[in-house]
Amino acid sequence: MPIKIPDTLPAFETLVNEGVRVMTETAAVRQDIRPLQIGLLNLMPNKIKTEIQIARLIGATPLQVELTLVRIGGYRPKNTPEEHLFAFYETWEEVKGRKFDGFIITGAPVETLDYDEVTYWDELKRIFDWTETHVHSTLNVCWGAMAGIYHFHGVPKYPLKEKAFGVYRHQNLKPSSVYLNGFSDDFAVPVSRWTEVRRADIDRVPSLEVLMESKEMGVCLVHEKKGNRLYMFNHVEYDSTSLSDEYFRDVDAGVPIKLPHDYFPHNDSTLPPQNRWRSHAHLFFGNWINEMYQTTPYELEKIGSGD
C-alpha cells in the first residue's frame, strides 16, 4: 500500500517522480483497513528535505501508512517557510492526545550544546515521557537518539576532536534481530556528527542491546525491548548527495572540514557520489514497520495500556 500524505506537500511530487506510491485522502478512505499511524517529530532546520527522506523509506512498505508531521511548539526554524509549517505540521501539544503506532524523532544541529542549553529541551523531555504511554514503537535518529538514550538512561555524549563524517563500514552484531532481517554481515552507513556515545556506557544498562557497530565510528544502532525503542546514531535515511551538500556548505562558509571518508569516487569531490547504503536503509525501515505491524494493537486506544 502507498504512504498517505497531503497532496500539496512538496514530498508528494518528489516521491511520485521517484516511483514511490503515494495515496490521496480520497483513495485512502475507500480501503477498509486501519493504516499504521506514524508521527515524525522533525527537528531538522530544512524540514522539507527531511520529510522527503523519511517519507521515501516509509512509502516503500507494502502496508498503508499515514504520516503525521509534528514540530516543537515554541521553536521556529530558520530554513523552512512558516507557511509550510502552518500548512502541514501540528505541534506536539496538538497531537499529544493521540496514539501512534510509530514515532520518529530526528536529529538536530545542536549536538555540541549541553542538553539543558537546547531551547526546547524541557518540551522534548515531556515528549520522550509521552512516547511511553502513547507510542507503540519509537525510532530516535542521530541527536534524537543521543538525547533519548540520555533522557531514559543517563548515557552521556562525548565531543569528538573532529567531525565524524563520511561513509563507514558497519557490522551486523545480531543477525537474529527482527530489525536486521536480510542485512549483510558488513554494510555501509553515512555518518555525520560532532559527538558520540560509547559502548562502555551502553553496556552498563542491561535493557540496551547493540545491534550495529563500526570499528571506526563506534555504536550505530541500539534496541531497547521496553517501549520498543530504537536508537539510530547515524544516517541511513540520507540522500545520495546529503554528505556532499554538507561538505560544500562548509567549504563555501569557510568552515574547516575534511573530505567525507570513502564517499566521493577516488576521493574526487568533482565526481558524483554513489549511494551504497540505500538498500539497507529500505531494509531497516521495512523491518521496523513490519515488526510494528505485527505487534501493535489493532485498536489504537490500547497502545500504552499493556494489552
Side-chain angles (χ1 to χ4, degrees):
M1 300 292 177
I3 183 174
K4 179 175 163 300
I5 55 177
D7 303 13
T8 52
L9 189 73
F12 191 99
E13 184 177 354
T14 300
L15 297 179
V16 168
N17 291 338
E18 292 180 1
V20 177
R21 294 193 177 193
V22 293
M23 176 175 282
T24 63
E25 176 72 30
T26 303
V29 298
R30 289 202 301 262
Q31 296 187 339
D32 188 23
I33 58 176
R34 179 175 87 71
L36 287 175
Q37 299 292 323
I38 295 182
L40 171 62
L41 179 64
N42 192 348
L43 303 176
M44 293 297 286
N46 190 328
K47 297 196 180 305
I48 295 174
K49 182 179 292 186
T50 303
E51 294 158 13
I52 293 172
Q53 291 171 350
I54 298 297
R56 175 186 293 123
L57 296 168
I58 291 176
T61 175
L63 303 171
Q64 187 188 130
V65 174
E66 183 171 346
L67 182 63
T68 299
L69 301 176
V70 185
R71 62 181 175 88
I72 294 289
Y75 178 74
R76 294 287 185 273
K78 299 178 181 178
N79 297 310
T80 302
E82 281 203 347
E83 55 268 25
H84 182 85
L85 296 178
F86 292 132
F88 300 114
Y89 278 77
E90 298 177 75
T91 66
W92 171 68
E93 290 285 345
E94 291 171 332
V95 304
K96 68 179 183 180
R98 292 175 53 185
K99 300 288 185 81
F100 289 88
D101 301 293
F103 202 76
I104 301 168
I105 299 177
T106 73
V110 294
E111 58 182 309
T112 58
L113 298 176
D114 290 338
Y115 292 115
D116 289 336
E117 295 177 328
V118 177
T119 56
Y120 48 80
W121 179 240
D122 286 340
E123 183 171 353
L124 187 57
K125 288 193 296 182
R126 293 194 295 272
I127 293 172
F128 281 132
D129 291 338
W130 166 85
T131 62
E132 294 196 275
T133 55
H134 286 71
V135 176
H136 180 66
S137 181
T138 306
L139 172 57
N140 307 287
V141 180
C142 199
W143 180 82
M146 294 183 186
I149 207 168
Y150 172 77
H151 174 73
F152 288 115
H153 302 290
V155 174
K157 61 181 173 72
Y158 300 89
L160 296 170
K161 293 181 180 179
E162 60 182 36
K163 188 177 185 179
F165 191 45
V167 179
Y168 288 87
R169 305 305 302 180
H170 284 68
Q171 287 72 51
N172 179 350
L173 303 183
K174 194 74 174 180
S176 60
S177 170
V178 295
Y179 300 106
L180 299 184
N181 184 32
F183 266 67
S184 306
D185 295 333
D186 176 271
F187 45 89
V189 177
V191 179
S192 178
R193 48 183 166 80
W194 286 97
T195 54
E196 66 175 354
V197 295
R198 294 177 180 169
R199 178 70 183 265
D201 294 321
I202 292 172
D203 286 343
R204 294 189 184 100
V205 184
S207 63
L208 299 178
E209 180 181 37
V210 179
L211 302 185
M212 293 182 192
E213 190 172 37
S214 165
K215 293 177 181 177
E216 298 146 300
M217 292 292 104
V219 177
C220 177
L221 178 65
V222 172
H223 174 237
E224 182 175 11
K225 187 175 182 180
K226 179 187 177 183
N228 299 311
R229 285 190 286 265
L230 288 163
Y231 305 92
M232 167 61 74
F233 299 103
N234 298 322
H235 288 285
V236 293
E237 82 283 0
Y238 263 10
D239 295 324
S240 302
T241 60
S242 293
L243 292 177
S244 61
D245 292 342
E246 293 180 18
Y247 173 71
F248 289 118
R249 176 200 65 198
D250 288 351
V251 168
D252 291 342
V255 176
I257 185 71
K258 288 187 176 181
L259 206 66
H261 172 81
D262 197 24
Y263 177 60
F264 292 110
H266 312 296
N267 285 327
D268 184 346
S269 62
T270 66
L271 299 176
Q274 292 185 321
N275 190 312
R276 291 178 282 119
W277 59 89
R278 183 184 295 114
S279 58
H280 284 92
H282 280 279
L283 265 179
F284 174 65
F285 271 81
N287 288 341
W288 177 57
I289 291 172
N290 181 59
E291 176 64 11
M292 189 192 312
Y293 173 74
Q294 298 292 336
T295 58
T296 194
Y298 181 80
E299 298 176 15
L300 271 171
E301 59 270 20
K302 290 187 177 180
I303 289 175
S305 67
D307 293 342

